[in-house]
Amino acid sequence: MNATVRIPHGEQTIKVELTVKEAMALMGQRFHEHPSLKSDARRKVAEQIDRLYGIE
């Protein structure tokens, strides 16, 4: 069964400041010396969405 997901403001853009390493981690690059890099970057994105739209 396929359900349609509707996301309010889904076509609007947001700006999130990430380091190059954080952006690379979101793309799948692994940084063994800093394993929390990906989760830190995801947290920044989630916080910005929550700050702008109150969506978690």
Side-chain angles (χ1 to χ4, degrees):
M1 179 165 117
N2 291 336
T4 302
V5 177
R6 298 185 192 273
I7 301 172
H9 313 289
E11 298 301 319
Q12 292 181 352
T13 60
I14 63 169
K15 294 186 180 190
V16 180
E17 190 169 320
L18 299 172
T19 65
V20 173
K21 284 185 178 182
E22 288 170 332
M24 290 175 68
L26 287 177
M27 292 175 19
Q29 180 68 43
R30 292 187 180 185
F31 293 89
H32 298 289
E33 71 281 359
H34 199 297
S36 65
L37 199 59
K38 184 175 182 178
S39 61
D40 293 344
R42 290 182 67 175
R43 180 183 37 78
K44 284 183 179 183
V45 173
E47 285 175 353
Q48 182 67 356
I49 290 171
D50 187 44
R51 187 175 306 121
L52 293 173
Y53 302 109
I55 302 170
E56 290 186 11

